[in-house]
Each structure stands twice: as C-alpha cells, then as structure tokens.
Amino acid sequence: MPDSLRKQLWKIFKSTQQKPKLNEADILEAITSIETTLQKAGTEHSVIENFKQQVIDDALGIRSSHQFIKAVQKILVNLMGPAPIPPCIKLVSTKK
C-alpha cells in the first residue's frame, strides 16, 4: 500500500476512533472519505464499489469505532492483499 494512502487511511481511522459510538451517518462519512482516498490513489472503480458494498453489508450496524475499523481493515486486506513480507523476515521465519 502506498505511503500516502496509508497516511490518509490512518487520518480517517483516527478521526473515527475519537467517537465513542458510531451512528449510520458517521459510518457513511468514513466510507465516503475512504472512497475518495482510494480514488486519489488510482484504485479501479470496480474495486472501490466492491469495497463500499462489503463495508455497508458488514459494518453498517456496528456501533463501536474499534469494531468498525477492524472490519474495514479486514475488507481492505481482502481486496488489496496482505502487506508483502520483507525478505529478511521471510528468511528468518523459514529457518529451522
């Protein structure tokens, strides 16, 4: 994930964390912000639409900011793939 995308997502998550309980408007605002961030990063439209639908399906009823962020992160990882493992860590973890 590009650093600029990571920083912008962090800002959105940080702002969401400041709210003890989320309502539907808070969640829709976060989804819109993430959508804009993904568009600016050059993410394909179909991927963004898939992301939005999954978040709406999975997270719209969530009221805890922690649970919402966890759900969104899981969806992003599923769509974008996990972060690559640096070669030095890969080498150490496969040694016996």
Side-chain angles (χ1 to χ4, degrees):
M1 181 183 304
D3 197 42
S4 60
L5 177 58
R6 184 175 305 137
K7 285 179 183 177
Q8 191 60 32
L9 289 172
W10 174 249
K11 286 180 188 176
I12 295 166
F13 290 156
K14 186 100 171 138
S15 122
T16 303
Q17 280 181 327
Q18 294 173 353
K19 301 173 183 176
K21 288 192 177 184
L22 300 176
N23 58 40
E24 188 172 322
D26 295 328
I27 291 173
L28 293 174
E29 179 183 337
I31 291 170
T32 302
S33 296
I34 296 169
E35 175 184 17
T36 302
T37 300
L38 292 172
Q39 287 172 342
K40 287 180 182 177
T43 307
E44 290 183 28
H45 179 73
S46 62
V47 172
I48 294 171
E49 289 302 313
N50 189 7
F51 163 78
K52 281 176 41 179
Q53 191 58 52
Q54 284 186 36
V55 173
I56 289 170
D57 292 346
D58 296 352
L60 200 54
I62 293 175
R63 295 294 172 238
S64 159
S65 60
H66 176 74
Q67 289 175 336
F68 173 72
I69 292 168
K70 187 175 179 180
V72 169
Q73 287 175 328
K74 181 180 176 185
I75 293 166
L76 284 171
V77 167
N78 285 339
L79 290 174
M80 302 176 103
I85 300 172
C88 61
I89 294 175
K90 204 181 286 185
L91 180 64
V92 170
S93 65
T94 58
K95 270 187 159 180
K96 289 188 179 185

